[in-house]
Amino acid sequence: MTIKQNLLNKLIQPTIRIVDSLTTIGLVKAADTHNKICTVIYKNKNGILQKKENVTVRFLDSGLDYFPIVGDYVVLQLEGDICTIISKYTANDSSKESAKQQISQDIYSDSTGANPGGTIY
């Protein structure tokens, strides 16, 4: 590397330090509605349970803000040492919905002259 490149990289245009960002799920153990902070337990990027106090809640301008209560599962955004609750965690459990659906007719009809199998009317 030339002297010019060293000066450009180190003095004139220094590279910004990359901060690790992680989105994970946590459990609220304590909530302070007056100060708008919570205490949460979550697994860090190494899979180790951690307890974080004084976690702030991100509020949006929509007016439909959510503040967690004790026992809620929340989505956390971790950037370095900063931890923020960004939303309530809702599991995508589609198995409950698919269990409610029923077939209205026999798919494979065994009577002669009936519609071919594989169609539902």
Side-chain angles (χ1 to χ4, degrees):
M1 213 181 238
T2 64
I3 295 174
K4 180 180 177 181
Q5 285 297 325
N6 279 335
L7 288 174
L8 283 173
N9 290 339
K10 293 183 180 178
L11 297 176
I12 299 170
Q13 300 170 341
T15 305
I16 298 173
R17 186 175 67 91
I18 298 173
V19 177
D20 290 336
S21 179
L22 173 69
T23 303
T24 187
I25 299 166
L27 176 65
V28 177
K29 296 307 264 180
D32 182 1
T33 57
H34 181 66
N35 294 320
K36 308 291 188 206
I37 56 173
C38 296
T39 300
V40 294
I41 294 178
Y42 64 95
K43 286 187 180 180
N44 66 6
K45 64 182 178 181
N46 298 324
I48 300 169
L49 279 176
Q50 297 231 322
K51 181 179 179 181
K52 186 80 171 176
E53 297 178 346
N54 298 330
V55 177
T56 58
V57 180
R58 180 183 298 168
F59 290 107
L60 304 175
D61 293 334
S62 64
L64 301 172
D65 294 327
Y66 160 76
F67 191 82
I69 58 174
V70 176
D72 278 357
Y73 284 94
V74 292
V75 179
L76 300 170
Q77 184 174 15
L78 306 166
E79 292 182 8
D81 290 338
I82 300 170
C83 182
T84 307
I85 296 173
I86 58 175
S87 70
K88 182 177 183 177
Y89 174 72
T90 54
N92 186 11
D93 191 7
S94 60
S95 63
K96 292 179 184 175
E97 287 300 317
S98 61
K100 294 178 187 175
Q101 298 175 356
Q102 295 180 1
I103 297 174
S104 62
Q105 284 185 345
D106 186 12
I107 295 176
Y108 300 106
S109 178
D110 52 359
S111 62
T112 56
N115 291 326
T119 56
I120 299 175
Y121 294 99

